Amino acid sequence: MNEEDEAFEDLAKRQGDWGLQGSRKHQILRYAENAERNAVIEEVAQELDKFAGPFGRDTVQSFAAFVRRMKK
């Protein structure tokens, strides 16, 4: 067990049992991955909002809304 694992285990002990959700370390790592993914998805949606291609404004906004629904 490395220092990072020990620190997360200590944190889990101080905060209580997390049950079936997995270890505290894995929860934090999943949260960070989702936050990063959501930021990328939002960036794509913002670029779609700016898109001035052959589609109408309503269609472009629908694309952006579709992309935003991919967030976790």
mmCIF file of all heavy atoms in Angstrom, residues 45-66:
data_model
loop_
_atom_site.group_PDB
_atom_site.id
_atom_site.type_symbol
_atom_site.label_atom_id
_atom_site.label_comp_id
_atom_site.label_asym_id
_atom_site.label_seq_id
_atom_site.Cartn_x
_atom_site.Cartn_y
_atom_site.Cartn_z
ATOM 1 N N ALA A 45 -20.225 21.614 -26.453
ATOM 2 C CA ALA A 45 -21.542 22.227 -26.581
ATOM 3 C C ALA A 45 -21.428 23.730 -26.834
ATOM 4 O O ALA A 45 -22.172 24.286 -27.657
ATOM 5 C CB ALA A 45 -22.370 21.957 -25.331
ATOM 6 N N GLN A 46 -20.487 24.386 -26.171
ATOM 7 C CA GLN A 46 -20.291 25.827 -26.384
ATOM 8 C C GLN A 46 -19.816 26.113 -27.800
ATOM 9 O O GLN A 46 -20.245 27.089 -28.418
ATOM 10 C CB GLN A 46 -19.306 26.387 -25.363
ATOM 11 C CG GLN A 46 -19.889 26.473 -23.976
ATOM 12 C CD GLN A 46 -18.868 26.898 -22.941
ATOM 13 O OE1 GLN A 46 -17.732 27.212 -23.254
ATOM 14 N NE2 GLN A 46 -19.290 26.916 -21.685
ATOM 15 N N GLU A 47 -18.955 25.255 -28.319
ATOM 16 C CA GLU A 47 -18.499 25.426 -29.700
ATOM 17 C C GLU A 47 -19.662 25.208 -30.676
ATOM 18 O O GLU A 47 -19.775 25.904 -31.680
ATOM 19 C CB GLU A 47 -17.339 24.485 -30.023
ATOM 20 C CG GLU A 47 -16.045 24.870 -29.340
ATOM 21 C CD GLU A 47 -15.558 26.262 -29.728
ATOM 22 O OE1 GLU A 47 -15.577 26.610 -30.926
ATOM 23 O OE2 GLU A 47 -15.154 27.007 -28.822
ATOM 24 N N LEU A 48 -20.527 24.247 -30.377
ATOM 25 C CA LEU A 48 -21.706 24.034 -31.217
ATOM 26 C C LEU A 48 -22.610 25.265 -31.200
ATOM 27 O O LEU A 48 -23.174 25.641 -32.227
ATOM 28 C CB LEU A 48 -22.491 22.810 -30.753
ATOM 29 C CG LEU A 48 -21.982 21.468 -31.235
ATOM 30 C CD1 LEU A 48 -22.714 20.344 -30.514
ATOM 31 C CD2 LEU A 48 -22.151 21.330 -32.726
ATOM 32 N N ASP A 49 -22.754 25.887 -30.014
ATOM 33 C CA ASP A 49 -23.577 27.101 -29.906
ATOM 34 C C ASP A 49 -23.071 28.203 -30.835
ATOM 35 O O ASP A 49 -23.849 29.009 -31.329
ATOM 36 C CB ASP A 49 -23.604 27.619 -28.466
ATOM 37 C CG ASP A 49 -24.546 26.830 -27.573
ATOM 38 O OD1 ASP A 49 -25.506 26.223 -28.106
ATOM 39 O OD2 ASP A 49 -24.333 26.828 -26.349
ATOM 40 N N LYS A 50 -21.761 28.241 -31.065
ATOM 41 C CA LYS A 50 -21.154 29.270 -31.916
ATOM 42 C C LYS A 50 -21.174 28.893 -33.399
ATOM 43 O O LYS A 50 -20.896 29.729 -34.247
ATOM 44 C CB LYS A 50 -19.694 29.505 -31.516
ATOM 45 C CG LYS A 50 -19.498 30.044 -30.132
ATOM 46 C CD LYS A 50 -18.015 30.269 -29.915
ATOM 47 C CE LYS A 50 -17.594 29.835 -28.560
ATOM 48 N NZ LYS A 50 -16.143 29.895 -28.383
ATOM 49 N N PHE A 51 -21.485 27.652 -33.696
ATOM 50 C CA PHE A 51 -21.393 27.142 -35.061
ATOM 51 C C PHE A 51 -22.379 27.859 -35.983
ATOM 52 O O PHE A 51 -23.554 27.981 -35.691
ATOM 53 C CB PHE A 51 -21.676 25.635 -35.063
ATOM 54 C CG PHE A 51 -21.588 24.988 -36.406
ATOM 55 C CD1 PHE A 51 -20.371 24.872 -37.053
ATOM 56 C CD2 PHE A 51 -22.714 24.502 -37.030
ATOM 57 C CE1 PHE A 51 -20.278 24.267 -38.299
ATOM 58 C CE2 PHE A 51 -22.643 23.887 -38.269
ATOM 59 C CZ PHE A 51 -21.422 23.771 -38.907
ATOM 60 N N ALA A 52 -21.879 28.334 -37.092
ATOM 61 C CA ALA A 52 -22.719 29.035 -38.067
ATOM 62 C C ALA A 52 -22.607 28.321 -39.408
ATOM 63 O O ALA A 52 -22.194 28.894 -40.396
ATOM 64 C CB ALA A 52 -22.288 30.484 -38.184
ATOM 65 N N GLY A 53 -22.987 27.082 -39.426
ATOM 66 C CA GLY A 53 -22.896 26.298 -40.652
ATOM 67 C C GLY A 53 -24.196 26.333 -41.430
ATOM 68 O O GLY A 53 -24.990 27.260 -41.304
ATOM 69 N N PRO A 54 -24.441 25.321 -42.210
ATOM 70 C CA PRO A 54 -25.614 25.296 -43.081
ATOM 71 C C PRO A 54 -26.933 24.987 -42.348
ATOM 72 O O PRO A 54 -27.992 24.990 -42.965
ATOM 73 C CB PRO A 54 -25.284 24.170 -44.061
ATOM 74 C CG PRO A 54 -24.405 23.259 -43.292
ATOM 75 C CD PRO A 54 -23.590 24.159 -42.399
ATOM 76 N N PHE A 55 -26.858 24.745 -41.041
ATOM 77 C CA PHE A 55 -28.054 24.404 -40.277
ATOM 78 C C PHE A 55 -28.676 25.655 -39.683
ATOM 79 O O PHE A 55 -28.008 26.639 -39.429
ATOM 80 C CB PHE A 55 -27.715 23.428 -39.144
ATOM 81 C CG PHE A 55 -26.971 22.217 -39.608
ATOM 82 C CD1 PHE A 55 -25.630 22.064 -39.335
ATOM 83 C CD2 PHE A 55 -27.621 21.230 -40.328
ATOM 84 C CE1 PHE A 55 -24.931 20.947 -39.763
ATOM 85 C CE2 PHE A 55 -26.944 20.099 -40.758
ATOM 86 C CZ PHE A 55 -25.593 19.965 -40.483
ATOM 87 N N GLY A 56 -29.957 25.596 -39.395
ATOM 88 C CA GLY A 56 -30.626 26.706 -38.727
ATOM 89 C C GLY A 56 -30.241 26.773 -37.254
ATOM 90 O O GLY A 56 -29.698 25.829 -36.677
ATOM 91 N N ARG A 57 -30.514 27.921 -36.645
ATOM 92 C CA ARG A 57 -30.161 28.143 -35.236
ATOM 93 C C ARG A 57 -30.816 27.100 -34.321
ATOM 94 O O ARG A 57 -30.203 26.611 -33.388
ATOM 95 C CB ARG A 57 -30.572 29.562 -34.834
ATOM 96 C CG ARG A 57 -30.110 29.960 -33.474
ATOM 97 C CD ARG A 57 -28.620 30.263 -33.497
ATOM 98 N NE ARG A 57 -28.144 30.386 -32.131
ATOM 99 C CZ ARG A 57 -27.047 29.801 -31.673
ATOM 100 N NH1 ARG A 57 -26.292 29.109 -32.476
ATOM 101 N NH2 ARG A 57 -26.682 29.943 -30.437
ATOM 102 N N ASP A 58 -32.073 26.771 -34.571
ATOM 103 C CA ASP A 58 -32.768 25.779 -33.734
ATOM 104 C C ASP A 58 -32.093 24.420 -33.795
ATOM 105 O O ASP A 58 -31.967 23.723 -32.786
ATOM 106 C CB ASP A 58 -34.235 25.640 -34.159
ATOM 107 C CG ASP A 58 -35.067 26.848 -33.791
ATOM 108 O OD1 ASP A 58 -34.634 27.630 -32.924
ATOM 109 O OD2 ASP A 58 -36.158 26.998 -34.367
ATOM 110 N N THR A 59 -31.648 24.034 -34.985
ATOM 111 C CA THR A 59 -30.970 22.747 -35.146
ATOM 112 C C THR A 59 -29.660 22.731 -34.384
ATOM 113 O O THR A 59 -29.350 21.756 -33.681
ATOM 114 C CB THR A 59 -30.725 22.452 -36.640
ATOM 115 O OG1 THR A 59 -31.974 22.470 -37.319
ATOM 116 C CG2 THR A 59 -30.042 21.107 -36.827
ATOM 117 N N VAL A 60 -28.898 23.814 -34.479
ATOM 118 C CA VAL A 60 -27.614 23.895 -33.776
ATOM 119 C C VAL A 60 -27.834 23.853 -32.265
ATOM 120 O O VAL A 60 -27.117 23.159 -31.545
ATOM 121 C CB VAL A 60 -26.843 25.172 -34.202
ATOM 122 C CG1 VAL A 60 -25.619 25.381 -33.336
ATOM 123 C CG2 VAL A 60 -26.460 25.094 -35.669
ATOM 124 N N GLN A 61 -28.844 24.557 -31.784
ATOM 125 C CA GLN A 61 -29.140 24.530 -30.346
ATOM 126 C C GLN A 61 -29.587 23.140 -29.902
ATOM 127 O O GLN A 61 -29.280 22.709 -28.798
ATOM 128 C CB GLN A 61 -30.192 25.576 -30.000
ATOM 129 C CG GLN A 61 -29.647 26.988 -30.059
ATOM 130 C CD GLN A 61 -30.709 28.039 -29.793
ATOM 131 O OE1 GLN A 61 -31.901 27.787 -29.955
ATOM 132 N NE2 GLN A 61 -30.270 29.213 -29.390
ATOM 133 N N SER A 62 -30.283 22.429 -30.768
ATOM 134 C CA SER A 62 -30.683 21.054 -30.451
ATOM 135 C C SER A 62 -29.465 20.145 -30.349
ATOM 136 O O SER A 62 -29.395 19.284 -29.471
ATOM 137 C CB SER A 62 -31.640 20.516 -31.517
ATOM 138 O OG SER A 62 -32.846 21.205 -31.484
ATOM 139 N N PHE A 63 -28.500 20.336 -31.253
ATOM 140 C CA PHE A 63 -27.258 19.561 -31.183
ATOM 141 C C PHE A 63 -26.540 19.832 -29.861
ATOM 142 O O PHE A 63 -26.075 18.913 -29.187
ATOM 143 C CB PHE A 63 -26.318 19.904 -32.341
ATOM 144 C CG PHE A 63 -26.766 19.422 -33.690
ATOM 145 C CD1 PHE A 63 -26.260 20.012 -34.832
ATOM 146 C CD2 PHE A 63 -27.666 18.386 -33.837
ATOM 147 C CE1 PHE A 63 -26.654 19.583 -36.095
ATOM 148 C CE2 PHE A 63 -28.059 17.934 -35.094
ATOM 149 C CZ PHE A 63 -27.554 18.542 -36.226
ATOM 150 N N ALA A 64 -26.448 21.108 -29.494
ATOM 151 C CA ALA A 64 -25.762 21.478 -28.252
ATOM 152 C C ALA A 64 -26.480 20.876 -27.039
ATOM 153 O O ALA A 64 -25.842 20.369 -26.119
ATOM 154 C CB ALA A 64 -25.668 22.992 -28.124
ATOM 155 N N ALA A 65 -27.800 20.913 -27.044
ATOM 156 C CA ALA A 65 -28.572 20.329 -25.937
ATOM 157 C C ALA A 65 -28.354 18.822 -25.864
ATOM 158 O O ALA A 65 -28.209 18.260 -24.780
ATOM 159 C CB ALA A 65 -30.064 20.646 -26.092
ATOM 160 N N PHE A 66 -28.313 18.164 -27.027
ATOM 161 C CA PHE A 66 -28.063 16.729 -27.076
ATOM 162 C C PHE A 66 -26.709 16.412 -26.442
ATOM 163 O O PHE A 66 -26.579 15.475 -25.645
ATOM 164 C CB PHE A 66 -28.111 16.247 -28.520
ATOM 165 C CG PHE A 66 -27.726 14.800 -28.686
ATOM 166 C CD1 PHE A 66 -28.607 13.790 -28.385
ATOM 167 C CD2 PHE A 66 -26.457 14.465 -29.132
ATOM 168 C CE1 PHE A 66 -28.243 12.460 -28.528
ATOM 169 C CE2 PHE A 66 -26.081 13.135 -29.287
ATOM 170 C CZ PHE A 66 -26.991 12.134 -28.978
#
